[in-house]
Amino acid sequence: MTSELDIFVGNTTLIDEDVYRLWLDGYSVTDAVALRVRSGILEQTGATAAVLQSDTMDHYRTFHMLERLLHAPPKLLHQLIFQIPPSRQALLIERYYAFDEAFVREVLGKKLSKGTKKDLDDISTKTGITLKSCRRQFDNFKRVFKVVEEMRGSLVDNIQQHFLLSDRLARDYAAIVFFANNRFETGKKKLQYLSFGDFAFCAELMIQNWTLGAVGEAPTDPDSQMDDMDMDLDKEFLQDLKELKVLVADKDLLDLHKSLVCTALRGKLGVFSEMEANFKNLSRGLVNVATKLTHNKDVRDLFVDLVEKFVEPCRSDHWPLSDVRFFLNQYSASVHSLDGFRHQALWDRYMGTLRGCLLRLYHD
Amino acid sequence: MPGKLKVKIVAGRHLPVMDRASDLTDAFVEVKFGNTTFKTDVYLKSLNPQWNSEWFKFEVDDEDLQDEPLQITVLDHDTYSANDAIGKVYIDIDPLLYSEAATVISGWFPIYDTIHGIRGEINVVVKVDLFNDLNRFRQSSCGVKFFCTTSIPKCYRAVIIHGFVEELVVNEDPEYQWIDRIRTPRASNEARQRLISLMSGELQRKIGLKVLEMRGNAVVGYLQCFDLEGESGLVVRAIGTACTLDKLSSPAAFLPACNSPSKEMKEIPFNEDPNPNTHSSGPSTPLKNQTYSFSPSKSYSRQSSSSDTDLSLTPKTGMGSGSAGKEGGPFKALLRQQTQSALEQRGGSPHRFCRRREFPFFTLTAFPPGFLVHVGGVVSARSVKLLDRIHNPAFVGIMGNTRSYKLLDWNSFNSDEPETRDAWWAEIRQEIKSHAKALGCHAVVGYSESTSICEEVCILSASGTAAVLNPRFLQDGTVEGCLEQRLEENLPTRCGFCHIPYDELNMPFPAHLTYCYNCRKQKVPDVLFTTIDLPTDATVIGKGCLIQARLCRLKKKAQAEANATAISNLLPFMEYEVHTQLMNKLKLKGMNALFGLRIQITVGENMLMGLASATGVYLAALPTPGGIQIAGKTPNDGSYEQHISHMQKKINDTIAKNKELYEINPPEISEEIIGSPIPEPRQRSRLLRSQSESSDEVTELDLSHGKKDAFVLEIDDTDAMEDVHSLLTDVPPPSGFYSCNTEIMPGINNWTSEIQMFTSVRVIRLSSLNLTNQALNKNFNDLCENLLKSLYFKLRSMIPCCLCHVNFTVSLPEDELIQVTVTAVAITFDKNQALQTTKTPVEKSLQRASTDNEELLQFPLELCSDSLPSHPFPPAKEHLESASSNSGIPAAQRATSVDYSSFADRCSSWIELIKLKAQTIRRGSIKTTVTVEKASPVGDGNFRNRSAPPCANSTVGVVKMTPLSFIPGAKITKYLGIINMFFIRETTSLREEGGVSGFLHAFIAEVFAMVRAHVAALGGNAVVSYIMKQCVFMENPNKNQAQCLINVSGDAVVFVRESDLEVVSSQQPTINCQSSCTEGEVTT
């Protein structure tokens, strides 16, 4: 006796959250059944393995049919085939677009292309996430990227509108899309200690301050309809950053800056002497990062540079985070007292974001 | 020109990509009704076209309005080649034709293609302007309402129940036309869908005409079926019960019940023709071949059945004529005569309707109180027929000569065909009628008809419950006022329907009779089998349960007549065994009555399958069932005897366990009260005997005595052993689950509002090696049991819940394939309240007495324990339980002994409490999801600050579906019309669609979606009395092909939650489907 056909269709589509998770995690039906058996469900319910097999198959089939709709979540809301309560719909979408930390760290900043897709095998072996799940997550990134790529308006809003994600998840996707678009290097050994959350935090700051969209929000001419893009860094801004060079190139200005910072921080910093000794190096590092951002190559290496030029030197001198904060605040603020320096607004736009990023990046 | 149909095509969405180059579609729409077609403009390059067409107007006869479906075809415009069809929508406009139902059909309909399934949706608005037509000779029957519901619809009152209406139409099946060889599968499928739609329309119209002739205004319990006879054609037939219904403005109570016999009634001599035509597979003949030794004196549960062929090959044994003797209760005779005259009266009209008068049948399964006076038992008839197309020369003519593809012309050819089918059914109905007469009944209720077709053999089956009805509901006007009054003087008893309608000294079959355990006045049988729902006023002890008998019989492959002969030879044995199984299982459950009995016999190439489903209950009025005794053939073998006694112990244990499980604890009644005036000495011995059953000395029981009374299973070979084993292997549902195949579960009254309707299909392939009857039986049994287990597992989140209206259908699509389709609804109930309602009547009366003494109640107790679905203000559970356990007073009473002056207040606060409860539950579930997330490798990074996603408000209105006639916790406020849909789906890429399971899963989901969409477009929010009448699945995996036909029906309704009715701050959940649909249009 073999079962040729075995289906269950409810008027309200039955969604088993546990099976959904197993499916999302890319387990085959056989593996999923084995895992469910291990969870002790048979003892709880008095069911047999055959029942579990049939149930799992049913759910997998349903998910497979739903997957097409999940690719465009608004379709899931309007479709008529599956009657699913709104809360369940939201759960389906949210879980489908959720991703693994380990996975996202591997592909963050990489081009979402076929080439990267080929590397998923390696990522799968490295992270222990099934290839199927890797593919789903990668395809999600790529799909979101494709949809919002050419869109005007806020990146987060666009993602939220077209994929109906929660605010948090939409922000994460904005970061992923932003990183993929600007191809920031995140995979270097030096950067391994950073979490996705760290990068996402930086991405948000950069989107808010360094992109075209950030400028567009200023009440300029409403008719000009300038490209309100959250994805690309503001090219003009990057060009202007060259003007900051003077802060380190002009020796007088550099000395003045140093003395201003030192005076203000004397007695307040535990690592004052180290700071005093390193000031010129640190300042050069931070300003040089800014001036180099016109080159794509250097944009990509932004995080490598920040860690190399600032985080690592401070860390080797055992600066506590509070001291880093004091220093960066004073370092940014003191520039306003430099009479010979005329690019205060530019400096604020640059340093305001960078300060936030550095504080976030500064940890073990 | 009695009608103007207006159609507007608004927009489309989610259309498929038809032009690969642009990834877009140039869509336009053709709107067709009858022979008129309109087209919209082409909306270029869009998957979400906005046509916003003008109103397309069709001026048509109302006859056409009833017959024809509105056909909407969405196409992709192609400049150079032929336009490609995207898909179609058929809209039945019948609901717009009666005044009280829907006034407009408006909404999103799935665009359906028989090859690709649903491909996007289209927004359509349909209206009908009807002109008054006073033409007496009209062919249409606009205005007659149709209900699938097999009881009087909730917001109506039955003024008169007229009786049986039936009709059938026959046509050639497009699939078997010569043209099918050259047209595409799509064209063939669409031709079939359209034809069936037309035929159903015509059938409905014709039935409507008959109803109008009877001066009724509605058909209740309308059941329409298709017989796909293959080469010989396609039959669409329908039966129903004509009624005159009154819309209830307020939920007024029905007229008081009157079913108690009146002793003062003058004796009226009553004579009846003996029925020499009654054919029966008499219980005596097949016995010798049986492995069971079935005591012949045993009640045959009053099931007279018969199986015969038109070939007259089976010897027809006459059955004892059921003439009612003079000694029969005089009142019964009177009733009978009145019923008779009531039934005849209606036939007095035109001669063409004279035939209907012959059949006092009712397709209803639930009745207004007082309608059902006595129930006789199940009557059924089967007949094996050969389908033969050579009888229809007209067929050949049209196939050979006519080139034009014309489907509608059933008047021009095979005009004698309906006559043949009519005659077949008339024959069967005649038989049913005579069976009923033999049981002393004049009517058959819970009547249904079915067929099973394999190749050219067709089994026609009909079954129902013989009954005596109260003539009051059957007659026009108030005729016998005096009788009524006299009847009403007597207190209605709850056991009346159990009392035998036949004469006890001249019984049509051997049966044990005892005095009713309730009223002690009338005789009752020891078991009662019926096809109807449990009457609402019946007193039941404990809960009910689903009881199934399953049986397979191998049959040699044969052709035509030989095949029919073989089948008709097997049928009596099947019936007999199915019946024995039912009886055994019923006794094993410790119950004494079956309701909703449905026996399905399915014929295949090389086997016959029998599946009987029913809901077993313990009726308080009937005697306690005796146990089952096992007897061995070789009483001298010691070890064998030990084995037997072991088995016996197991059976006894099972019975005891079941009694506990189903809470069957009838009040102890001393022998004297029951036994005294029983005339037959046999009965006395039986009573004594039933006591000895409980002892362990069963093996010593002398068979010759045993046969007379207790239920004895004789085990003389392995076959019988198997059967006993299979009795014991039926696993009860897991705790928290109940199941039944009736509308509601006897013993559970406190339904909560969560419902889940589902369809489950399983097909198994038998390995041809082990095809013995036993192996087959085991396979079939396992299939059904596993299916049930799967259902219990899947629905475990709804515990405590009950599977209601569990409907199994078996078919044998191929040689070694068995297909089982189950449709049912799971309804949750409140467990705490369930405990309260399971009180024996004795307890109840005790309570009543005690409360009366205490004078604490301002309400009679029944009001809160019976009529209210749940308790007004449940205090904390523990408190309740401790209170009841301490004082010995049931919790319900405790709670009611509170001042009722602020009753309404309490009601609403109770609702709040429920709401609160729901909220906490929801909160609880969120908690669990959070823990799951933490356990996952996703890490907390992704779920920080979980805010509500923006898709909280869906744009698609929820439509509930249920096979029941009601929605728990809600009130049906309007019936919008009948839903009757037929779909075909075919694929030539079976593997790509996920194999047979993927294919059928998707198709059934699509069918549900289309039903829901139609209901929503009518402005409804639920389908009640939903039924999947057919699910024919054929596959050819080698060719990567499969085809499936599904026919569903039900009543579209508007319901309002009871809580919303009472609490003012409701958010009008009913008719916002339309508004939300238009919202959807904006958002896309």
Side-chain angles (χ1 to χ4, degrees), chain A residues 150-168:
Chain A
E150 302 293 330
M151 269 180 202
R152 289 149 186 259
S154 153
L155 191 56
V156 177
D157 288 351
N158 285 339
I159 291 172
Q160 216 162 6
Q161 197 188 332
H162 287 88
F163 292 91
L164 309 176
L165 303 179
S166 66
D167 185 52
R168 185 64 255 159

Side-chain angles (χ1 to χ4, degrees), chain A residues 4 11-12 55 78 99 168, chain B residues 756 763 794 942 944 955:
Chain A
E4 282 272 303
N11 183 38
T12 305
D55 180 63
H78 295 293
F99 48 82
R168 185 64 255 159
Chain B
Q756 167 71 291
V763 177
K794 279 202 174 286
N942 301 317
R944 296 159 300 188
T955 54

Side-chain angles (χ1 to χ4, degrees), chain B residues 742-967:
Chain B
T742 45
E743 281 254 304
I744 48 154
M745 178 72 168
I748 300 178
N749 312 318
N750 42 324
W751 304 107
T752 47
S753 58
E754 197 187 342
I755 64 169
Q756 167 71 291
M757 188 282 296
F758 59 85
T759 292
S760 185
V761 185
R762 270 195 195 188
V763 177
I764 56 158
R765 186 176 289 280
L766 304 158
S767 51
S768 49
L769 294 169
N770 60 355
L771 277 187
T772 61
N773 273 335
Q774 272 151 288
L776 211 56
N777 273 333
K778 191 178 175 319
N779 278 331
F780 184 40
N781 218 21
D782 288 351
L783 172 61
C784 294
E785 284 291 319
N786 289 339
L787 190 47
L788 281 170
K789 274 186 215 158
S790 265
L791 298 182
Y792 296 140
F793 179 76
K794 279 202 174 286
L795 300 164
R796 65 192 185 282
S797 64
M798 293 180 77
I799 284 178
C801 84
C802 179
L803 297 187
C804 293
H805 214 285
V806 178
N807 187 6
F808 274 70
T809 320
V810 187
S811 55
L812 300 162
E814 269 174 61
D815 259 13
E816 283 139 18
L817 294 183
I818 304 177
Q819 177 191 329
V820 176
T821 310
V822 186
T823 299
V825 62
I827 311 182
T828 55
F829 62 90
D830 192 331
K831 205 163 193 181
N832 302 317
Q833 310 262 328
L835 291 174
Q836 292 172 15
T837 48
T838 54
K839 288 170 295 191
T840 59
V842 177
E843 269 179 74
K844 257 185 199 167
S845 56
L846 279 175
Q847 277 172 37
R848 200 172 301 148
S850 68
T851 48
D852 282 344
N853 289 340
E854 289 167 39
E855 288 184 333
L856 280 168
L857 281 182
Q858 297 182 359
F859 267 32
L861 177 74
E862 294 95 324
L863 195 71
C864 65
S865 57
D866 294 341
S867 51
L868 277 183
S870 45
H871 208 270
F873 37 92
K877 223 189 297 168
E878 307 88 79
H879 166 68
L880 254 178
E881 274 161 11
S882 65
S884 56
S885 61
N886 288 342
S887 58
I889 303 167
Q893 192 206 328
R894 269 273 154 141
T896 47
S897 59
V898 186
D899 181 25
Y900 265 86
S901 53
S902 59
F903 182 72
D905 272 344
R906 307 234 177 229
C907 260
S908 57
S909 70
W910 162 67
I911 287 151
E912 278 162 26
L913 205 136
I914 293 287
K915 278 184 176 167
L916 248 168
K917 211 162 106 193
Q919 271 188 345
T920 45
I921 288 165
R922 222 172 295 134
R923 214 170 289 147
S925 66
I926 285 171
K927 205 181 272 172
T928 52
T929 56
V930 169
T931 49
V932 166
E933 279 153 19
K934 272 190 183 153
S936 76
V938 181
D940 52 352
N942 301 317
F943 290 96
R944 296 159 300 188
N945 183 20
R946 240 169 167 268
S947 63
C951 54
N953 42 2
S954 167
T955 54
V956 182
V958 172
V959 176
K960 298 210 170 198
M961 291 167 78
T962 172
L964 308 178
S965 64
F966 67 99
I967 290 163

Side-chain angles (χ1 to χ4, degrees), chain B residues 519-596:
Chain B
C519 66
R520 318 268 178 243
K521 286 176 189 153
Q522 301 286 310
K523 296 283 178 66
V524 293
D526 53 354
V527 249
L528 186 60
F529 283 17
T530 74
T531 58
I532 55 171
D533 276 338
L534 186 71
T536 41
D537 52 354
T539 320
V540 169
I541 294 174
K543 295 198 169 63
C545 74
L546 180 71
I547 290 179
Q548 284 195 319
R550 303 155 186 146
L551 187 68
C552 301
R553 275 301 177 111
L554 282 173
K555 169 186 82 71
K556 283 211 175 66
K557 274 192 193 180
Q559 291 299 309
E561 299 204 359
N563 196 15
T565 313
I567 293 168
S568 49
N569 283 341
L570 272 172
L571 277 179
F573 295 93
M574 302 269 304
E575 299 250 14
Y576 176 76
E577 270 189 56
V578 162
H579 186 266
T580 312
Q581 249 190 58
L582 279 176
M583 196 65 120
N584 282 338
K585 289 189 176 178
L586 183 67
K587 283 182 179 284
L588 205 63
K589 295 277 195 298
M591 299 176 183
N592 57 18
L594 286 181
F595 287 89

